[in-house]
Amino acid sequence: QVQLVESGGGLVQAGGSLRLSCEVSGSVIDVATMGWYRQAPGKQRELVATIDRVGGRNYADFVRGRFTISRDYAKNTVYLQMSSLQPVDTGVFYCFAQIQDGRRRTHQQFWGQGTQVTVSS
C-alpha cells in the first residue's frame, strides 16, 4: 500500500528556516508530479509548490523567492526548503504525489499525513 511519510516540521522563530521531507513508500510503478499544500488555521488548503517528473517547478506567489522545492527521484522523496519564515506561514503542510501503483493503470493523488509548522514572532 502506498504511503507518503512527512517529516521536518516544528517550531521556528520568524526569519528562520525549516526543511520538510516527504517520502513515498509501498508498491509504486511511477511517480509524476509531487508537491506541497499548506493549511493555515481557519483557512482552506492552498497550493505552495510543485515539481514534475522532469524537474519543472511552480510556486505560489506568497512563497516565491523564500521556498525551494526539490526532489530525489531515486528515493521518491520531495523536499521543501523554507527560509525567511514569517508567522503567516504557520500551518499544517501536506505533501502530495501523483502515483501509479500496482493496482491501477492511471495515476492517483496520494497525500501525506501533514506536518505542523509554527513560526513565532
Side-chain angles (χ1 to χ4, degrees):
Q1 184 173 353
V2 173
Q3 286 187 317
L4 274 63
V5 180
E6 303 178 22
S7 60
L11 174 64
V12 64
Q13 289 187 333
S17 299
L18 281 175
R19 188 191 194 210
L20 306 182
S21 300
C22 173
E23 182 177 7
V24 177
S25 65
S27 178
V28 173
I29 295 175
D30 182 65
V31 182
T33 297
M34 303 181 77
W36 296 89
Y37 276 74
R38 178 180 75 188
Q39 188 163 20
K43 296 187 176 181
Q44 291 193 348
R45 199 175 293 190
E46 56 188 350
L47 183 64
V48 174
T50 63
I51 183 166
D52 62 25
R53 66 171 77 247
V54 296
R57 296 170 170 84
N58 283 295
Y59 295 96
D61 288 342
F62 57 82
V63 303
R64 190 171 287 115
R66 300 189 299 126
F67 292 9
T68 301
I69 190 169
S70 61
R71 181 170 169 176
D72 186 326
Y73 293 86
K75 296 181 179 179
N76 281 332
T77 300
V78 63
Y79 305 95
L80 187 68
Q81 178 67 48
M82 305 183 293
S83 60
S84 301
L85 285 162
Q86 299 300 318
V88 294
D89 293 315
T90 294
V92 179
F93 283 71
Y94 297 91
C95 70
F96 74 91
Q98 296 170 344
I99 296 171
Q100 183 185 8
D101 61 16
R103 299 181 297 174
R104 301 179 181 89
R105 294 183 179 181
T106 58
H107 288 72
Q108 306 293 322
Q109 187 145 312
F110 290 81
W111 292 91
Q113 80 282 6
T115 185
Q116 177 70 43
V117 171
T118 302
V119 185
S120 63
S121 58

